[in-house]
Amino acid sequence: MILGLAGTAVAVALAGRRVLFLWKLFTSGQPDPERILQVKRDPKADLEGQVVEVMGQRKLLKWTASGLAHFFVMWAFILLISVYLEAAVALLFGPDAHIPGLQTWGPIGFVQDTIALLCLAGLVTFAIIRWKNSPKKLDRTSRFAGSHLGGAWLILFMIFNVIWTMFFLRGAAWANGNLAYGKGAYFSYLTGQAFEGLSHDTLEVLESVGLLAHIYVALVFLVIVVNSKHLHIFLAPLNVMFKRRPDGLGAAQPMMSNGKPLDFEEADPDEDVFGRGKIEDFTWKGFLDMATCTECGRCQSQCPAWNTGKPLSPKMVVLELRDHAFAKAPYILASEEQREKFTDEQKAAMQVDKPLVGEDGVIHPDVLWSCTNCGACVEQCPVDIEHIDHILDMRRFQVMIESSFPSEAGVMLKNLENKGNPWGMSEMKRLEWIEELDFEVPVVEDKVPEDAEYLFWVGCAGALEDRAKKTTKAVAELLHIAGVKFAVLGPMEACTGDPARRLGMEFVFQMLAQQNVETLNEAGVKKIVATCPHCFNTLANEYPQLGGNYEVVHHTQLLARLVEEGKLVPITPIEEKITYHDPCFLGRHNKVYKQPRDIMAKVPGVKAQEMHRHKERGFCCGAGGARMWMEERIGKRINTERVDEALGTDPDTVSTACPFCLVMLGDAINEKKNAGEAKESLEVVDVSQLLIRSVKGEGSPQGEKEPAAAE
């Protein structure tokens, strides 16, 4: 008892000291009151998150083998607390003491032994996965590249020690007559057979040794956990509790300073925080994210930048920020008087003067500007780390304070400021597509016409880019055929500001957004249909931050409903094999996966063929995060990688539902055609273009079944 209590006191003191340090570090971050308020507003959502994400391991189980292994190990941690409760009773009151009911009911022993064995199976699975996916074998294709591998193996070894000491203790206890579960604890019973024939005194010694070994392993494990990446055992439920809760990734967060949205008109450069220029600028939730990372590499394995040879790994961004935060923590937590006493060597060790972003900084600029905001990292993260928010906040400081960003993006920003679109074209050109239609499209002058159900938000690409104009005209025709009344803003429409916001130029975003919100509100707009997922996401999820609250639908959602209601009837077969590419801002950001596929499914003759990476695991086209206006100079082009995957399905057509994707995939396919690697007839089209062909009787280019359809 003395040895057990002494060891417990030492371990708890060491662990408590670390926890206190972490608490001080986290609370030194910027305030983020909304995280607390959302839990108070909707405790039911938090409970659901704990049940589904933490207890149910929803995201982990998407990867079946490793997911099941983690499921069993996690539940072993929870259920085997009862074994440690028994150990505490034995330590304090003697090995023959039992809690009535808990330590005498056979089914409990059965559950304890079973979960312990499943945990062992999980450990073996983890070991095999780590061996097969070792960075020494696979280099950067391993999701564990960059992770602290030694620490992971140590944790597996410690969990193994927990299990074998448990069975050693229970086997000796059974042989000594002190395990009251009988044969219900079947594996403990079998282990006890190995101790049969030993004297009572020997068994008492073995039981005491087993008891102390089992307790000491747990105490050492506790100290290791609070000083390692396995801190997620305790922090993951908290991170899930305080995560953002959109349906999908939703909006980019507004710029916050001292817990409040930043007001550019009243901002004080000396008092306010503009993005993240140093580690102290991160919120307490940012620090929680850093400490919660499990280094599993799922985000890294899905990242389009990492998969095409670029330096961005979402995992490594979080780990580098975490390591920097821990290194600088003594300086952050010190008083001004204490800071003055630090020597230059101490400051260098604490990375006091190390820039957050820079050639010699914590995060290299190439890492920061490789992100497409696709959301694959956030979607896959089993502990709900918000990588995109942190990358975007660091971009904001670089753009707005340091004026440091890819030069070609500067042209885009100037065009947005001066002309209201990324290409710098005249606002009057926004109406040219209407001239190619054979029916009238109402243009809003002051108010939306009373009979117009929707405002059709055409978007910059939809109005000004030739390939995207085809989508615009197809959607307009389909709405006209279905009898849906709509109007457009024409010259009054300006860019939603998405490229500026995703680049990090929040000021330009707010300027454009406030202008548009004022226009929409004065026009009395209630319902909007948009063809661009970036516009759709911004209008639906980000404009409410500025007082713009509208019912916004993507054109695939509206068209799918019109087809379902029989207002649009696709009758002419399109005898083509078609593979669909999920736009990131439609799919992962807004969970719209079903409707584009529903449209294709209703078109006769279409043979849909999914790419390997689709829906929530879809692969980016490379245009998001303002990358549409930046050169891709490192590694393989993301759009080329995606088209290579599309070509693997041997399609006649590649379909999508985003003008950015249309351009990026189209460019890559043209390169493939020029190189003789794709058939000349291959094209990229929006799903609305497929639908209009079938509805209007144009069918397949071959026209094989058009007469029958017409008949």
Side-chain angles (χ1 to χ4, degrees), residues 436-439 456 467-483 486 555-556 559-560 562-563 567-574 576 578 596 599-600 602-604 606 655-656 683-701 706 709:
E436 301 173 32
L437 299 175
D438 57 5
F439 57 91
F456 181 10
R467 284 167 284 190
K469 280 184 186 180
K470 295 178 181 178
T471 302
T472 303
K473 289 184 287 185
V475 171
E477 283 194 77
L478 287 165
L479 295 180
H480 179 68
I481 292 169
F486 65 94
H555 72 282
T556 56
L559 295 180
L562 294 174
V563 171
K567 294 179 180 178
L568 291 173
V569 183
I571 54 172
T572 304
I574 298 179
E576 297 177 15
I578 300 176
I599 292 172
M600 291 170 55
K602 292 294 177 67
V603 176
V606 167
S655 68
T656 187
E683 61 177 346
V684 186
V685 300
D686 189 273
V687 291
S688 63
Q689 293 172 259
L690 294 172
L691 182 60
I692 194 71
R693 277 167 52 188
S694 182
V695 169
K696 291 180 68 176
E698 296 171 2
S700 301
E706 286 183 17

Side-chain angles (χ1 to χ4, degrees), residues 49-64:
Q50 298 299 315
V51 171
V52 175
E53 300 289 349
V54 180
M55 299 300 178
Q57 304 274 278
R58 179 183 67 87
K59 286 190 175 182
L60 281 158
L61 288 171
K62 289 180 179 179
W63 299 35
T64 310

Side-chain angles (χ1 to χ4, degrees), residues 431-452:
L431 286 176
E432 288 184 355
W433 64 274
I434 295 179
E435 298 170 5
E436 301 173 32
L437 299 175
D438 57 5
F439 57 91
E440 184 180 347
V441 174
V443 180
V444 176
E445 294 182 1
D446 295 313
K447 294 285 185 180
V448 175
E450 290 186 6
D451 63 342

Side-chain angles (χ1 to χ4, degrees), residues 260-532:
K260 299 177 182 178
L262 185 65
D263 185 334
F264 285 102
E265 293 183 1
E266 299 181 3
D268 183 346
D270 296 324
E271 297 291 334
D272 286 304
V273 176
F274 290 80
R276 308 286 178 253
K278 54 186 185 297
I279 197 69
E280 298 95 312
D281 292 339
F282 282 84
T283 66
W284 61 264
K285 176 58 170 64
F287 284 121
L288 183 61
D289 272 358
M290 297 171 206
T292 307
C293 180
T294 70
E295 303 185 28
C296 67
R298 292 182 181 221
C299 58
Q300 180 174 289
S301 71
Q302 302 300 303
C303 177
W306 182 262
N307 276 284
T308 52
K310 296 167 183 62
L312 168 62
S313 159
K315 174 185 72 178
M316 293 307 299
V317 167
V318 174
L319 297 188
E320 285 161 358
L321 290 172
R322 181 191 71 188
D323 293 345
H324 176 59
F326 285 162
K328 198 174 180 180
Y331 184 83
I332 295 172
L333 300 178
S335 65
E336 287 296 330
E337 184 178 338
Q338 290 172 322
R339 290 179 181 182
E340 291 176 3
K341 296 178 181 179
F342 289 136
T343 65
D344 291 342
E345 290 78 10
Q346 288 175 318
K347 288 182 179 180
M350 290 184 282
Q351 303 178 7
V352 171
D353 297 320
K354 189 171 186 177
L356 192 65
V357 178
E359 297 286 341
D360 300 317
V362 179
I363 306 297
H364 193 279
D366 288 341
V367 170
L368 195 65
W369 297 112
S370 293
C371 180
T372 66
N373 281 207
C374 73
C377 50
V378 182
E379 173 69 34
Q380 288 298 325
C381 181
V383 292
D384 290 322
I385 292 170
E386 295 159 358
H387 314 74
I388 290 178
D389 289 351
H390 304 319
I391 288 173
L392 180 56
D393 277 333
M394 287 188 284
R395 282 186 173 189
R396 284 167 167 167
F397 184 85
Q398 292 302 302
V399 173
M400 301 186 68
I401 302 301
E402 298 291 320
S403 296
S404 176
F405 52 91
S407 57
E408 57 269 22
V411 177
M412 178 266 290
L413 287 177
K414 288 180 182 177
N415 289 335
L416 288 178
E417 289 187 74
N418 298 329
K419 295 292 185 179
N421 67 80
W423 292 282
M425 299 173 73
S426 168
E427 63 268 17
M428 297 311 297
K429 287 185 173 291
R430 288 184 177 272
L431 286 176
E432 288 184 355
W433 64 274
I434 295 179
E435 298 170 5
E436 301 173 32
L437 299 175
D438 57 5
F439 57 91
E440 184 180 347
V441 174
V443 180
V444 176
E445 294 182 1
D446 295 313
K447 294 285 185 180
V448 175
E450 290 186 6
D451 63 342
E453 184 179 358
Y454 289 95
L455 176 81
F456 181 10
W457 187 274
V458 180
C460 300
L464 305 172
E465 205 282 326
D466 289 339
R467 284 167 284 190
K469 280 184 186 180
K470 295 178 181 178
T471 302
T472 303
K473 289 184 287 185
V475 171
E477 283 194 77
L478 287 165
L479 295 180
H480 179 68
I481 292 169
V484 176
K485 300 294 184 181
F486 65 94
V488 298
L489 288 176
M492 294 170 62
E493 183 182 295
C495 178
T496 59
D498 169 82
R501 172 167 255 195
R502 298 289 166 171
L503 180 72
M505 181 51 86
E506 184 73 9
F507 178 77
V508 173
F509 164 74
Q510 289 203 19
M511 178 188 74
L512 292 166
Q514 286 168 352
Q515 174 186 327
N516 282 326
V517 167
E518 186 177 334
T519 300
L520 292 168
N521 288 347
E522 287 181 357
V525 173
K526 302 296 182 186
K527 298 168 72 174
I528 300 174
V529 57
T531 56
C532 175

